[in-house]
Amino acid sequence: MPQRIYVDGEWVQASGGAAIQVVNPATEQPFDEVPRSGPKDVARAVEAAAAALPAWSARPVTERAGLCAAVAAALGERADELTETIVNELGMPIKLTRAIQVGSPIRTFMSMPEVAAGVAFEEELGSSVVHRDPVGVVGAITPWNYPLHQIAAKVAPALTAGCTVVLKPSEVTPLDAFVLAEVMHEVGIPAGVFNVVSGTGPEAGEALAAHPLVDMVSFTGSTRAGRRVAELAAAGVKRTALELGGKSANVLLDDLDDAAFEDAVRKGVAACYLNSGQTCSALTRLLVPRERLQDAERLAADEAVTYTPGDPRDPATRLGPLVSAVQRERVREHLRSAAEDGATILTGGPAAPDGLERGYYVRPTVITGVAPESRIAQEEIFGPVLVILPYDGEDEAVRIANGTPYGLAAGVRAADQDRARRVARRLRAGQIRINDGAHNGLAPFGGFKQSGYGREYGRFGLEEFLTTTSVQL
Ligand code: NAD
C-alpha cells in the first residue's frame, strides 16, 4: 500500500493528501491506492534528480550498468510478488504476465552491461575527442499496458547513460513502479538518481514535461498525450522521445500454401489479441489476397472463439479483461460505430461476453467488409479486435499497410523469405516481423509518423539518452 512517493532516496508524503484508487479489472473492485501528486511533488523530485546528476554521471558506466544488473537480480527475487501486482492492476493472464510483464523488464535491466559495452563513450576523431555524455535529468512518463516493461525500457538505459530520472507511472497501474523503487533503494542506487511520483497526466505528467530542470522527456502512451507532452517540452527546448500508438498491418503474401496460410491466420489472431489487444505493436489489420478472403474470415473467426475471456488468475485463460471501464467503453463504441457503418462482425461484438457480469471483459472480435480508409481500419482500438482487409497484388498490399497515420510495427508472411524481406523494406514501420521471427530485446523499437520518434531497447535505446560533446586537442 504505497501511501508515499519515492523522492531523493526517501518515502515522503505527497502534498495535498489526495489519493488515486487502483482497481482490479477482473473484479471491478478497488484494492489499493497511491498518492495523487501535484506540481510541488514533481518539483521536489526533479530538484533531487538535478542535484544527484553530477555525481551519478561521473561514475564509470560499468558501475552504473552493473547496478542495473543488480536491479534485475533483485526484481527476479520478487517475481512472484510482481506477477501478483501486475495481474491485479492490469488483468493480463497470469502465465503471460509472469513471462512478459515481469520477465521482459528483468531482461532489459540485465542487458545493460552488454548494451553499454556496445557504445563508444569516447572516441578519437582526427585532432578531437568525441564524448557521449548523459543528456541530463530525464522525465519518464509511462502507460498501463506493459507497465514495468515500459518503465524498464526508459529507466535502465537512462541510468546506464548517466542520467537521473523522475518517473511518473500510469495512474491506472502504478503499483509495480513502487516495487521497482524499493528495489532501487535496496541495491544502492544513490538518493535522487531514481524518483517515483505517482499522479495523473494533466497534473503530475504535465508538470514533469514542463519543469525547467528536466532536460529530456521520454514518453510512452497515446498520440494525443504525446502531442501535449511534446508541446510542453518544446517551450523549454527539451529533447523528447515519443513512443505512441499503432494500427499495424500483418501482410500475408500470395505464395503461402494452405497449411502455411492457416498457420499465418491463426498466429495473426494471436498477434492481435495479446494482452487483450492492448499492445501498441499489435498486428490489428490482417491483409490477405482477395482470392483468399473467405478462407481468412473462416479461419480467423474459428481461432478467435478459442480466446474465451476469463479470470486472469486461471492458468488456462488466454484473454483477460480490458484494463478499465473507460477502455472497455472505448472499444465497444468502436464496435457499435463499425456495425452502424455496415461492417460485418464475424464473431464477437459490443455485447458483454456470456457469464461475465463483472470485470471489464470484451468479446474477441473479427471484423470484415470494411474499406481500408474506414474508421475501424484506421484508428487504434486497443482491444481484441481484428480487422481483415483484402488486397489485389503486392503493391496494393503495401499501400494499404502504409495507409494509416501510424507506423509502429508490421508483420509479413510468405513462403519466399527474400520476397518477404523485399516487402518488409517497403513498409514504413519501425519494427517488422517476418514469418513470426523471434522477438529480440536488443533490436530497436519505435515509430514512423504518429507512432512517434525515438527508439527504445538495446544500444539504440541507450543512445537516446546520450548527447555528444567534442574536445579539440
Ligand atoms: P495515455 O496517453 O493516456 O497515458 C500514458 C501516460 O501519459 C500516463 O502516465 C498518463 O498519466 C500520461 N499522460 C496523459 N495525459 C498527459 C498529459 N496531458 N501530459 C503528460 N502526461 C500525460 O496512454 P495509455 O492509455 O496509458 O496507454 C495506451 C497508449 O499507449 C496506446 O495508444 C498505446 O499504443 C500507447 N503505447 C505505445 C507504446 C510504444 O512503445 N509505442 C507502448 C505502449 C503503449
Side-chain angles (χ1 to χ4, degrees), residues 112-129:
M112 285 302 121
E114 180 191 347
V115 166
V119 173
F121 282 86
E122 189 178 311
E123 62 183 284
E124 286 186 17
L125 185 72
S127 62
S128 302
V129 180

Side-chain angles (χ1 to χ4, degrees), residues 142 144 168 171 206 219-222 243-245 280 380 382:
T142 53
W144 46 259
K168 207 257 355 126
E171 62 274 37
E206 295 207 8
F219 174 87
T220 300
S222 62
E243 299 286 344
L244 310 176
C280 52
E380 184 181 55
F382 240 48

Side-chain angles (χ1 to χ4, degrees), residues 140-146 149-150 153-154 168-173 199-209 217 219-230 232 242-247 278-281 323 327 330 380 382 406 408 445-447 451-452 456-457:
I141 302 177
T142 53
W144 46 259
N145 60 338
Y146 289 83
H149 171 66
Q150 305 296 346
K154 301 182 186 316
K168 207 257 355 126
S170 168
E171 62 274 37
V172 183
T173 56
T200 68
E203 291 169 350
E206 295 207 8
L208 185 56
V217 189
F219 174 87
T220 300
S222 62
T223 298
R224 175 194 51 77
R227 210 174 275 132
R228 177 71 184 134
V229 163
L232 291 166
L242 300 179
E243 299 286 344
L244 310 176
K247 187 73 179 176
Q278 303 167 120
T279 301
C280 52
S281 57
V323 76
Q327 192 58 30
R330 212 176 271 163
E380 184 181 55
F382 240 48
Y406 296 108
L408 191 58
F445 181 81
S451 292
E456 291 193 320
Y457 307 110

Side-chain angles (χ1 to χ4, degrees), residues 332-380:
R332 287 180 169 171
E333 190 280 322
H334 265 292
L335 297 178
R336 285 192 289 264
S337 139
E340 279 161 25
D341 291 348
T344 303
I345 298 183
L346 290 172
T347 184
D354 297 334
L356 287 171
E357 286 74 30
R358 256 172 192 268
Y360 307 125
Y361 293 97
V362 171
R363 289 171 187 259
T365 298
V366 180
I367 288 185
T368 189
V370 297
E373 303 75 28
S374 61
R375 188 173 162 231
I376 196 91
Q378 286 283 315
E379 293 184 15
E380 184 181 55

Side-chain angles (χ1 to χ4, degrees), residues 3-135:
Q3 288 166 341
R4 290 159 187 254
I5 52 178
Y6 185 67
V7 174
D8 206 12
E10 291 178 17
W11 293 94
V12 300
Q13 293 280 358
S15 62
I20 299 173
Q21 292 202 320
V22 187
V23 175
N24 181 328
T27 63
E28 305 188 17
Q29 295 301 307
F31 68 98
D32 211 336
E33 57 182 40
V34 294
R36 180 168 164 179
S37 315
K40 269 194 202 156
D41 306 301
V42 169
R44 195 169 164 187
V46 171
E47 283 158 21
L53 183 66
W56 179 248
S57 59
R59 282 178 76 159
V61 63
T62 47
E63 271 183 43
R64 297 190 303 252
L67 276 164
C68 284
V71 167
L75 287 172
E77 280 165 23
R78 294 177 74 167
D80 288 346
E81 178 193 352
L82 277 165
T83 303
E84 186 75 7
T85 301
I86 298 176
V87 171
N88 282 340
E89 59 185 4
L90 175 66
M92 192 187 199
I94 190 158
K95 270 164 56 184
L96 290 167
T97 298
R98 174 86 190 211
I100 301 174
Q101 303 279 4
V102 179
S104 167
I106 291 174
R107 285 189 290 277
T108 300
F109 273 103
M110 193 55 91
S111 71
M112 285 302 121
E114 180 191 347
V115 166
V119 173
F121 282 86
E122 189 178 311
E123 62 183 284
E124 286 186 17
L125 185 72
S127 62
S128 302
V129 180
V130 176
H131 296 274
R132 291 209 166 71
D133 293 328
V135 74

Side-chain angles (χ1 to χ4, degrees), residues 247-251 285 287 396-404 406 409-410 427-428 449:
K247 187 73 179 176
S248 299
N250 188 7
V251 184
R285 295 181 299 146
L287 272 57
E396 191 183 40
V398 169
R399 207 163 42 243
I400 295 173
N402 288 336
T404 75
Y406 296 108
L427 300 181
R428 299 213 340 129
K449 301 189 276 182

